[in-house]
Amino acid sequence: MQRWLALGSALAGVRRGNLRPHARGVLGALGVTLDANTDLLRVPGGTGTLIVANHVSWLDIVAILAVDPVGFLAKREVRSWPVIGRLAQDCGTRFVARRELRELPAVVAGLADALRAGEPVVVFPEGTTWCGGEGGTFRRAAFQAAIDAGAPVRPVTFGYSQGGQPSTVAAFVGDDALLPSLNRVARARDLRIRLTAHPPLEPFGNRRELAARAQDAVRCTRVPAHA
């Protein structure tokens, strides 16, 4: 009960542009430790940054916001999620229908416009969460937006551990529902998130090449997780 009260307190007064302390409060309320190798994910310059990461859990979103209050490109279902939906909306997330391909050209164009306007945006190009192993192939559409906008790409790797060993307790895959996952995370002991930001990539070549370079960077520090 105390953790849920702390979680509510962490979300009190949330407003757009002031999300870092609230995201850190959510992690603290859940007893989760964040280890990050950077204080900022966006790349300074005239354009925004396309931030791309492997996707393990809804906690990925909270961890990113605890480091840098950036926007996201996310599936529409996230909007209705407790805790996460509120944070996602307040950071300016663009919600899209994951399976409606006819929306893709407009999504890519909108993402390119946001990057040209200087907005940093996070995309999970695997398209879904993965529990461990190699994960999924990076989809290329978002990388076309970076090329069109001349925006740098920041690869990010997430890893989860307990007691110094890789852990799947935070993995959010298959038929898992958010509330049971929240309870599982809240009960976990010594859960740590490792966020590794890699050097930015210039938007050279075509989208296939850029996606492959980003995928290689993300996986270079990725350790297969096990229970």
Side-chain angles (χ1 to χ4, degrees), residues 7 34 55 92 94 108 121 137 141 178 184 208-209:
L7 189 58
L34 173 62
H55 201 10
R94 292 168 172 76
V108 172
V121 183
T137 300
L178 183 62
R184 191 168 64 245
R208 179 194 297 269
E209 295 166 345

Side-chain angles (χ1 to χ4, degrees), residues 9-86:
S9 177
L11 291 173
V14 170
R15 63 184 184 275
R16 187 169 181 178
N18 189 32
L19 295 178
R20 187 178 297 172
H22 297 286
R24 291 176 178 175
V26 168
L27 294 177
L30 293 172
V32 177
T33 300
L34 173 62
D35 299 319
N37 71 337
T38 184
D39 293 325
L40 206 63
L41 295 174
R42 69 189 75 193
V43 178
T47 67
T49 304
L50 179 67
I51 301 160
V52 297
N54 63 308
H55 201 10
V56 179
S57 171
W58 50 269
L59 272 173
D60 302 343
I61 297 172
V62 184
I64 284 177
L65 290 176
V67 174
D68 196 353
V70 298
F72 290 80
L73 188 67
K75 60 184 181 181
R76 285 180 182 162
E77 298 94 305
V78 172
R79 192 200 307 257
S80 62
W81 286 359
V83 181
I84 311 307
R86 183 172 178 183

Side-chain angles (χ1 to χ4, degrees), residues 71-151:
F72 290 80
L73 188 67
K75 60 184 181 181
R76 285 180 182 162
E77 298 94 305
V78 172
R79 192 200 307 257
S80 62
W81 286 359
V83 181
I84 311 307
R86 183 172 178 183
L87 286 173
Q89 289 187 71
D90 287 329
C91 72
T93 294
R94 292 168 172 76
F95 296 101
V96 298
R98 185 169 54 181
R99 293 183 174 86
E100 294 184 17
L101 293 179
R102 65 179 180 273
E103 291 189 5
L104 190 57
V107 169
V108 172
L111 181 55
D113 286 343
L115 293 170
R116 290 189 191 98
E119 298 180 31
V121 183
V122 177
V123 174
F124 297 108
E126 289 171 318
T128 188
T129 49
W130 291 77
C131 188
E134 284 299 308
T137 300
F138 277 17
R139 299 180 181 181
R140 306 166 196 157
F143 295 94
Q144 185 62 54
I147 291 170
D148 292 346

